[in-house]
Amino acid sequence: MAKHFRHLETALIHAGEPEPRINGAVSMPIFQSAMFAYAGETSYDDLRYIRLNNTPNHIALHQKLAALERAEAALVTASGMAAITTTLVTLLSAGDHLLAQDCLYGGTHAFITKDLVTFGISYDFIDGDDPDSWRRKLRPNTKAMYLETMTNPLLQVADLKAAVAFARAHGLIALIDNTFASPINFRPLEWGFDLSLHSCTKYLNGHSDIVAGAVIGRADLIEKIRHKLNHLGGSLDPHSCFLLHRGMKTLAVRVKYQNQSALQIARFLEAHPAVRAVHYPGLDGHPRHSRARELFTGFGGVLSFEVHGGVEAAERFLQRVTLPIVAPSLGGVETLATRPATTSHAGLSPQERQRLGISDSLIRVSVGIEATEDLLEDFARALEG
Ligand code: PLP
């Protein structure tokens, strides 16, 4: 009998699971086979082969991911960057123009500014918070608009509703990198985006042990992107598919806990005399708090803050905390802390960082699933005189 469910928590466990279960296996087995016996397939893209993204492990993940964001289709890729780059080179051709938010993940920023231009694709950056300025950047050849749900590391929230309306009005494909929110906190397709992209390396897998990516959305676009991925070769191997599939089952419990923990830590930091500023959309004082409340179910597990005393004080904090691992990346079960100027945003010039408001002393924290009390005590000790 078909399973009936309405909630994401249930979709994480049941959506996309093979029916009937393979030899009764409760956990999706790993199909560690590069190719499968020919079964009369009539097109190249339907031959069953790991690079063609259609083994049983891929198919189960595609269905689970699509169910999570209530989308028509999904595609997993070898990394978040494979999802982003394959999507952009599928949708854009020589002569096309892209509008992109001005504060993107460094890898995406570098791909747009250094690689896409070599394919004859031009771009303009837009301030996600200033819809009135977007029309000035629009060109007759503009094809797509690219944003992130929350920006890294300042956790700004662009005017996502205005972005969808603008894209609709001008016939643009609306793309969003939803890595920071995860499908638990934001489901872009429900708000009108055409495609949602993820670095599954982060929350979706959640265990800091693979790199993976996903594109979720309109079936016609996903089909085109899959064919391009088949050529470019950025497919996820079955063992990583298995790990991602396993990690995703606990996404809801992890992210809901991380939402709560990050909010408590942000409030603690906000009230601490050694802290100069805290960036977290769940705080009442965040400039886009009411927008975040309208769009998101939760405010995520990442926050950033500045201590008084500049880089020296920030380094002292990072040396004194005992629980957070000082490392880049985010979204795992363990708390990580980093200074973006030395890691995720080291590729930007000091002037660019300054323009974006990313100071050298800014500390970004990705809150894990440790006891919040233990983290608070650790942070308090590290901030002491
Ligand atoms: N998008 C965002 C928002 C990210 O933070 C990252 C990585 O940090 C990526 C994309 C790239 O993902 P991956 O490292 O899985 O290629």
Side-chain angles (χ1 to χ4, degrees):
M1 214 201 295
K3 290 174 178 166
H4 297 286
F5 53 84
R6 287 185 292 120
H7 296 282
L8 288 186
E9 292 80 351
T10 317
L12 283 164
I13 309 300
H14 291 286
E17 298 294 319
E19 289 289 344
R21 299 197 165 270
I22 298 159
N23 279 344
V26 169
S27 170
M28 175 75 195
I30 308 175
F31 282 79
Q32 196 69 53
S33 178
M35 67 292 272
F36 290 69
Y38 179 69
E41 292 88 358
T42 52
S43 86
Y44 173 73
D45 292 298
D46 291 334
L47 293 173
R48 286 178 309 144
Y49 186 61
I50 291 175
R51 181 171 45 76
L52 301 180
N53 304 290
N54 55 14
T55 71
N57 292 99
H58 292 115
I59 291 165
L61 271 179
H62 294 163
Q63 291 175 358
K64 202 182 277 298
L65 284 162
L68 288 186
E69 291 199 355
R70 305 204 169 101
E72 290 172 359
L75 177 68
V76 281
T77 60
S79 66
M81 282 310 295
I84 293 163
T85 57
T86 308
T87 297
L88 289 174
V89 299
T90 305
L91 303 179
L92 302 168
S93 316
D96 289 341
H97 175 252
L98 173 73
L99 285 180
Q101 198 176 349
D102 57 4
C103 189
L104 295 176
Y105 165 65
T108 311
H109 183 276
F111 179 72
I112 291 172
T113 55
K114 301 200 167 77
D115 299 310
L116 269 192
V117 288
T118 66
F119 304 146
I121 298 161
S122 57
Y123 66 88
D124 269 298
F125 284 122
I126 49 169
D127 176 349
D129 215 19
D130 185 11
D132 292 339
S133 67
W134 301 344
R135 190 181 281 274
R136 289 198 293 280
K137 305 277 177 76
L138 192 70
R139 297 196 201 154
N141 55 341
T142 308
K143 264 284 200 50
M145 193 169 182
Y146 188 104
L147 295 103
E148 291 181 359
T149 312
M150 285 179 237
T151 66
N152 176 18
L154 294 174
L155 289 313
Q156 289 156 352
V157 183
D159 195 340
L160 302 182
K161 278 168 73 178
V164 167
F166 185 84
R168 286 272 168 279
H170 300 287
L172 314 180
I173 300 171
L175 308 168
I176 188 162
D177 180 332
N178 196 32
T179 300
F180 267 57
S182 92
I184 301 303
N185 287 334
F186 185 59
R187 288 161 299 284
L189 283 291
E190 291 177 354
W191 292 86
F193 283 92
D194 297 297
L195 291 172
S196 158
L197 299 114
H198 285 273
S199 167
C200 304
T201 313
K202 312 296 183 321
Y203 288 103
L204 280 158
N205 178 56
H207 292 75
S208 313
D209 49 12
I210 57 166
V211 290
V215 193
I216 308 174
R218 270 172 48 189
D220 59 328
L221 298 177
I222 296 287
E223 189 61 4
K224 283 188 190 155
I225 297 164
R226 186 170 78 82
H227 290 181
K228 185 70 80 180
L229 188 69
N230 292 350
H231 292 169
L232 295 177
S235 60
L236 194 64
D237 75 279
H239 188 250
S240 294
C241 285
F242 167 80
L243 288 172
L244 175 56
H245 193 131
R246 182 172 73 166
M248 274 169 58
K249 289 188 183 172
T250 56
L251 179 72
V253 283
R254 283 187 281 110
V255 169
K256 285 190 223 171
Y257 184 87
Q258 285 164 315
N259 286 342
Q260 283 178 13
S261 206
L263 182 57
Q264 279 189 55
I265 293 170
R267 285 186 177 144
F268 160 82
L269 290 171
E270 194 181 32
H272 199 288
V275 174
R276 204 160 64 78
V278 185
H279 309 281
Y280 185 67
L283 291 176
D284 293 340
H286 184 279
R288 293 291 169 237
H289 176 63
S290 57
R291 179 181 292 161
R293 282 188 83 89
E294 184 189 358
L295 295 166
F296 306 152
T297 317
F299 304 108
V302 180
L303 58 94
S304 59
F305 68 101
E306 305 219 23
V307 284
H308 291 291
V311 173
E312 221 174 278
E315 276 302 315
R316 203 164 45 238
F317 173 83
L318 291 176
Q319 278 160 20
R320 281 187 181 173
V321 277
T322 62
L323 295 175
I325 301 163
V326 178
S329 199
L330 58 119
V333 291
E334 51 289 289
T335 297
L336 303 178
T338 187
R339 224 159 34 85
T342 61
T343 53
S344 56
H345 292 70
L348 300 184
S349 68
Q351 293 77 9
E352 274 177 304
R353 282 199 299 271
Q354 201 181 9
R355 188 179 60 77
L356 295 170
I358 303 167
S359 76
D360 285 353
S361 57
L362 186 77
I363 298 168
R364 187 189 73 192
V365 178
S366 167
V367 178
I369 61 167
E370 300 94 338
T372 313
E373 292 266 294
D374 285 338
L375 291 172
L376 288 172
E377 284 170 22
D378 199 32
F379 277 48
R381 262 191 310 268
L383 288 169
E384 259 165 35

